[in-house]
Amino acid sequence: MHHVSVIGAGTMGRGIAFSCALADLSVFVQDISEESLEDCKQYIEKQCQRSIQKGKITEEQAKQLRENIHYSLSIKEAVANADLVIEAVLEIMDVKVETFKQVDNYAPKHAILATNTSTMSPTEIAAQTNRPDQCIALHFFNPVPKMKLIEVICGLETSEETIATSFQFGESIEKECVRINEFPGFAVSRMNCLIGNEAMNMVMEGVGSAEDIDKAMKLGLNHPMGPLELADLVGLDTRLRNMEYLYQTLGEKYRPCPILTKYVKAGHLGKKTGRGFYSYS
Ligand SMILES: NC(=O)c1ccc[n+]([C@@H]2O[C@H](COP(=O)([O-])OP(=O)(O)OC[C@H]3O[C@@H](n4cnc5c(N)ncnc54)[C@H](O)[C@@H]3O)[C@@H](O)[C@H]2O)c1
C-alpha cells in the first residue's frame, strides 16, 4: 500500500493524513472547503515542528513528510491513484453516502474504501457502491498522532482480504487494530458516548462542576481525560450527531443531554470554537 487518500481535512482527516505521511505513505487530502485545507496545512506544519522539538523526527524527515502530502479540492484528482481511501467528512449519513458514491466512481478498482464514522453503519454506506466487499470502517481516535487504536469494523459484505489489508495498513502506521463486528457505536463510541452524556446530565442536575466531575473520573477511575474535556476535544457538534444516531438506533438511554443540544445551538462547540464545557483562550 503506497497511496492513501483522505476525504475531509477536519479534526480527524488532518490527523490521519499526518500519521500516514509520517509512515512514508503518499497522501492526498481532499476537502470541499479551501479554509479547511489551509488549516490542515498549518496543522501539519505545527505537528512537524512539535515532533522535531521533541526529537521524534529530524528536519530531513519533516521535509519528506511535507512532500508526502498533497492537497486538492477535487475528489476525482485526490483518489485517482489511491490504494486506500479514508473518508472523514461530517457524521451525516447522506453526506457519507454521496462521498462514497463519488469515490467509488473515481478510485482504482483495487482500492479499499474506508469510513472513519464513529457510530454509523459501514454496510449501509457500502451498499451504495459497486464494491461492498472492499468497504470497511476504520475508526481512528482523536488526536490521531497520539492515539494508538484503530477499530476495524466489518460490514456484512466486507471480505477477509479487505480486513487483512486493513490490519496491515494499521500496523504500517504503528497503530493497534481490534476487529469489531458492525453494531451502532461499535465498541468505543457506544460506551464513551454514554459516559459523556451521563457526565453532562450530572452537570445539568448540579451534581458537580465540569472540573470536579472530570477530576473524579481521572483520579477515581484512572481515565486519562475527563468525559467533559474529552467531549470538548471531540467537538460538541460531532458528539451531538453521534448521540442522535445512537438514540435513533439503540434507544432511550442514548437521548442527548439537553445541555449538549443547547451548547451546540449557541455555537459553543468545544475546543475548536474556544468554548464548550470549558473556556479556551
Ligand atoms: N472528532 C473526533 O474526535 C472524532 C473521532 C473519531 C471519529 N470521528 C468521525 O470522523 C468524521 C469527521 O469528524 P471531524 O471531527 O473530523 O469533523 P470536522 O467537522 O472537524 O471535519 C469535517 C470536514 O469534512 C469536510 N467536508 C464536509 N463535507 C465534505 C464533502 N462532501 N467532501 C469533502 N469534505 C467535506 C468539512 O469541510 C470539514 O473540513 C465524523 O464521521 C466523526 O464522527 C470524529
Side-chain angles (χ1 to χ4, degrees):
M1 176 156 323
H2 297 294
H3 298 279
V4 177
S5 302
V6 180
I7 311 300
T11 307
M12 294 305 288
R14 58 192 69 168
I16 295 169
F18 179 82
S19 293
C20 291
L22 185 61
D24 225 9
L25 295 168
S26 166
V27 184
F28 236 115
V29 187
Q30 186 269 348
D31 204 291
I32 50 171
S33 151
E34 228 164 290
E35 197 186 336
S36 269
L37 283 181
E38 204 40 57
D39 289 351
C40 176
K41 278 181 206 166
Q42 285 177 17
Y43 165 89
I44 298 289
E45 192 46 46
K46 236 188 223 169
Q47 287 297 317
C48 282
Q49 295 305 336
R50 213 177 273 170
S51 304
I52 293 168
Q53 274 164 16
K54 286 186 179 168
K56 287 186 180 164
I57 60 172
T58 61
E59 291 277 1
E60 197 54 37
Q61 283 169 311
K63 184 169 176 273
Q64 182 61 52
L65 193 156
R66 286 184 205 104
E67 284 172 10
N68 287 345
I69 307 184
H70 313 275
Y71 302 87
S72 182
L73 288 167
S74 155
I75 202 164
K76 187 174 176 184
E77 181 190 28
V79 304
N81 292 315
D83 300 311
L84 168 66
V85 180
I86 303 173
E87 165 275 309
V89 302
L90 303 175
E91 188 82 341
I92 300 173
M93 182 54 89
D94 290 350
V95 179
K96 291 196 182 292
V97 164
E98 188 46 43
T99 303
F100 261 67
K101 280 185 184 167
Q102 287 189 55
V103 169
D104 187 33
N105 212 5
Y106 297 128
K109 288 277 168 279
H110 72 275
I112 290 177
L113 313 188
T115 172
N116 181 48
T117 177
S118 308
T119 53
M120 294 180 165
S121 163
T123 301
E124 188 176 343
I125 300 169
Q128 303 298 323
T129 72
N130 293 307
R131 53 181 112 183
D133 56 317
Q134 288 165 234
C135 292
I136 197 159
L138 297 180
H139 185 204
F140 289 79
F141 293 84
N142 185 11
V144 180
K146 257 197 198 160
M147 301 298 282
K148 273 282 170 206
L149 182 66
I150 303 176
E151 269 183 305
V152 176
I153 298 114
C154 316
L156 193 61
E157 304 209 37
T158 309
S159 70
E160 285 301 324
E161 194 184 337
T162 299
I163 297 165
T165 308
S166 298
F167 266 72
Q168 280 162 17
F169 161 72
E171 263 172 43
S172 76
I173 62 165
E174 298 189 4
K175 303 290 183 201
E176 299 269 345
C177 295
V178 289
R179 179 175 174 155
I180 301 289
N181 291 320
E182 179 181 323
F183 208 82
F186 321 132
V188 177
S189 299
R190 181 170 169 176
M191 271 188 276
N192 183 42
C193 284
L194 205 54
I195 294 171
N197 208 50
E198 204 51 29
M200 293 171 201
N201 282 324
M202 286 159 73
V203 170
M204 190 176 69
E205 288 158 1
V207 172
S209 64
E211 287 84 353
D212 280 341
I213 290 167
D214 276 348
K215 190 172 174 183
M217 293 298 280
K218 285 189 279 193
L219 301 184
L221 290 181
N222 225 5
H223 286 203
M225 280 183 87
L228 298 161
E229 51 182 340
L230 180 55
D232 270 2
L233 178 69
V234 166
L236 299 185
D237 51 343
T238 301
R239 175 59 64 84
L240 180 59
R241 288 196 193 99
N242 295 157
M243 289 306 302
E244 282 167 344
Y245 183 78
L246 292 174
Y247 178 48
Q248 277 167 25
T249 50
L250 296 177
E252 184 57 31
K253 70 180 171 184
Y254 287 90
R255 181 191 287 275
C257 175
I259 282 194
L260 177 61
T261 311
K262 201 192 298 185
Y263 281 8
V264 172
K265 278 185 182 156
H268 298 170
L269 307 183
K271 212 167 176 186
K272 62 185 168 187
T273 57
R275 193 161 165 197
F277 287 91
Y278 295 88
S279 289
Y280 307 84
S281 48

